Amino acid sequence: MPLPHYFLRECHLARHSKQLASGIWGVVDVSLESLFPNPLIRYRRRPSGCLIQQLPNGVAKVSGYVTKLRKIVSPGRENVLRLPERMIRKFWANLSDSAENIWRPVPLKGAENVLAMIINAEDEKGQPPGTSIVIATTVWVLTSPRRVFDFLNNEGTRNRWDILTYGHHVRETGYIDNGCYHGNQVSILEVKSTEDQIVVILLLEIYTTLTGSYVTFAPVEASTLDMILNGGSPENLPILPSGFSILPDGPKGNEGSSGSLVTMAFQILDTASSATYIPPDSVATTFKLVMETAECIKAAMLNPLNLGT
């Protein structure tokens, strides 16, 4: 998983591709560091791969993304999956350490591990027009990645870390399974006030494997969601993804690791910012958001009573 706080790394790997059956191919990557030791490389890429299945109309399906629908049943159910795909691609593109992403330090006390980036999307399809801020940080939490993942994707504990849901009721109104691991899914969350008024609707995707997990989300308009469910195209709809990547802090894996590296990134539309400048008030507001979220997660992991389970 790409993280803005770590430089891009080089590795040696072997890639094997093979046609397994008619219209089905397998691709596997294996690290070669054990065969060709390099004292400058102190990490090893885990084995990874995928199965690719040819489908009609010139498209392909990668195994692990299963389009089995539950609860959400509508003429536009196929389109429901295309919006979170865009959300995930944008989230990881934001987090990457590519040359296009100009990360800058946050000039505030206590922000040594916080980075910010300006995105100017005046002419970018699928992004709200104007300027937005992406702010990110990585924190270490003394608990297993699985426990962090379960806490962050639990609708019953969301208002313990998400300021959009403070004092409100969060309810899942629909979901689609999207992986071979139990619980991996795309969900629609409805956040309502105590007066039973809709505050915000969130599109949520959660995914976990033995090597890492992510929880990503973005607010969507009710009219936008209705349009997609009725067959409308989600390709150019504005979306601002935020979320978390969760990695073990050692080689034991997702279950056995004693700690977790949690990287969080929030993309926020900010009309006061420009392509080259973030006002001090915007810096302070986004910094407060990411730090309060980090502290809420740490507190919940230290005290089991905060988990709400």
Side-chain angles (χ1 to χ4, degrees):
M1 296 181 180
L3 306 176
H5 297 281
Y6 299 96
F7 294 106
L8 298 178
R9 297 169 291 183
E10 295 183 358
C11 67
H12 298 95
L13 60 91
R15 173 167 292 173
H16 179 63
S17 303
K18 182 179 180 180
Q19 185 168 2
L20 305 176
S22 178
I24 300 178
W25 294 264
V27 181
V28 179
D29 292 344
V30 180
S31 174
L32 296 180
E33 309 311 326
S34 58
L35 298 178
F36 305 99
N38 185 335
L40 299 178
I41 298 177
R42 299 188 178 183
Y43 78 98
R44 182 175 300 174
R45 180 187 175 114
R46 292 179 178 271
S48 59
C50 63
L51 289 175
I52 304 171
Q53 180 182 356
Q54 183 177 358
L55 298 176
N57 301 322
V59 298
K61 180 177 77 173
V62 179
S63 67
Y65 202 94
V66 182
T67 57
K68 180 173 69 173
L69 197 64
R70 294 184 181 176
K71 289 190 178 179
I72 300 176
V73 180
S74 74
R77 61 184 181 274
E78 300 270 340
N79 288 341
V80 175
L81 290 173
R82 290 161 59 190
L83 190 57
E85 286 177 0
R86 285 186 48 229
M87 177 178 69
I88 290 296
R89 288 197 303 268
K90 184 59 179 175
F91 176 74
W92 292 123
N94 286 348
L95 268 185
S96 72
D97 191 32
S98 68
E100 295 180 356
N101 289 350
I102 303 176
W103 291 98
R104 60 191 71 193
V106 174
L108 292 174
K109 183 179 179 180
E112 294 78 11
N113 197 36
V114 181
L115 296 175
M117 176 175 60
I118 301 173
I119 296 179
N120 189 28
E122 291 293 346
D123 300 318
E124 185 178 348
K125 292 183 178 180
Q127 289 293 296
T131 303
S132 61
I133 302 171
V134 177
I135 189 162
T137 190
T138 299
V139 296
W140 180 76
V141 182
L142 184 58
T143 193
S144 69
R146 183 71 209 195
R147 192 166 176 235
V148 178
F149 175 76
D150 289 342
F151 172 71
L152 291 175
N153 72 57
N154 184 345
E155 63 190 87
T157 58
R158 189 177 183 98
N159 56 17
R160 297 172 188 258
W161 59 264
D162 184 357
I163 62 172
L164 287 177
T165 67
Y166 283 176
H168 302 314
H169 176 66
V170 183
R171 183 173 68 94
E172 181 184 70
T173 60
Y175 67 89
I176 305 171
D177 290 339
N178 74 333
C180 55
Y181 286 86
H182 176 70
N184 289 351
Q185 62 186 43
V186 173
S187 302
I188 296 172
L189 301 181
E190 193 176 72
V191 182
K192 285 189 172 183
S193 67
T194 54
E195 293 79 22
D196 204 34
Q197 299 295 315
I198 295 179
V199 177
V200 67
I201 297 175
L202 297 171
L203 179 69
L204 170 73
E205 179 160 355
I206 59 174
Y207 196 86
T208 186
T209 68
L210 294 177
T211 57
S213 310
Y214 62 78
V215 176
T216 56
F217 56 92
V220 294
E221 297 287 343
S223 57
T224 297
L225 188 59
D226 289 340
M227 184 271 291
I228 295 173
L229 291 173
N230 286 289
S233 172
E235 289 305 316
N236 295 322
L237 295 175
I239 191 164
L240 292 173
S242 299
F244 307 86
S245 76
I246 309 159
L247 298 173
D249 66 352
K252 293 183 180 180
N254 209 2
E255 296 290 346
S257 176
S258 59
S260 306
L261 293 174
V262 182
T263 295
M264 60 195 74
F266 300 94
Q267 183 175 356
I268 303 164
L269 194 64
D270 185 54
T271 56
S273 297
S274 68
T276 58
Y277 175 71
I278 306 176
D281 287 348
S282 298
V283 173
T285 299
T286 53
F287 173 68
K288 181 179 179 182
L289 167 65
V290 74
M291 294 307 295
E292 285 189 354
T293 303
E295 291 304 316
C296 287
I297 294 172
K298 289 180 180 179
M301 296 301 103
L302 290 174
N303 185 356
L305 295 179
N306 288 336
L307 295 178
T309 57

